[in-house]
Structures are given as structure tokens and as C-alpha cells.
Amino acid sequence: MPGRRWWLLIVLIETLILCTIGYNLNGGTPSIPWALAGLACGGLTVLVIIEAQKKQSGRTK
């Protein structure tokens, strides 16, 4: 599981991927909804990782 130092990078990569998809689907102009979806997706991914780490550390104790 990635640690805290990777959380921001995960969010940025997912945002960039969805921004690129939205840009291409929108005819070469920026798409705010796709950018917001990328931020939400990245944030959700990080929250899932945090919860998984909490559950994993709880089992090892």
C-alpha cells in the first residue's frame, strides 16, 4: 500500500488522466466537469487506501 507521500501524486495522476480524456472528448477544449470528476476519483481512491491501511494495521495488532 502506498504511504502518505504518494497520496497527492495519486490524486494528481488520476486528475490528469480524466482531464486528458475530457479534453479529447470535448473537441480540444478544457472540460471542467471531467477535471472535477478526476479530483473526486483521486480523492476517493486515497480514502479507500487510507481505510484499507487502517483495517490492515488493525489486523496485525
Side-chain angles (χ1 to χ4, degrees):
M1 291 276 179
R4 288 183 183 180
R5 64 179 177 231
W6 297 103
W7 293 348
L8 182 60
L9 186 62
I10 291 168
V11 172
L12 290 176
I13 288 172
E14 289 189 14
T15 302
L16 181 62
I17 290 170
L18 270 96
C19 282
T20 303
I21 292 169
Y23 184 82
N24 290 325
L25 291 175
N26 207 24
T29 58
S31 174
I32 299 297
W34 279 90
L36 294 175
L39 286 171
C41 184
L44 185 61
T45 301
V46 169
L47 289 175
V48 168
I49 290 171
I50 291 169
E51 288 299 316
Q53 286 177 339
K54 284 181 183 178
K55 288 181 181 179
Q56 186 178 17
S57 67
R59 289 182 186 166
T60 58
K61 291 182 178 181

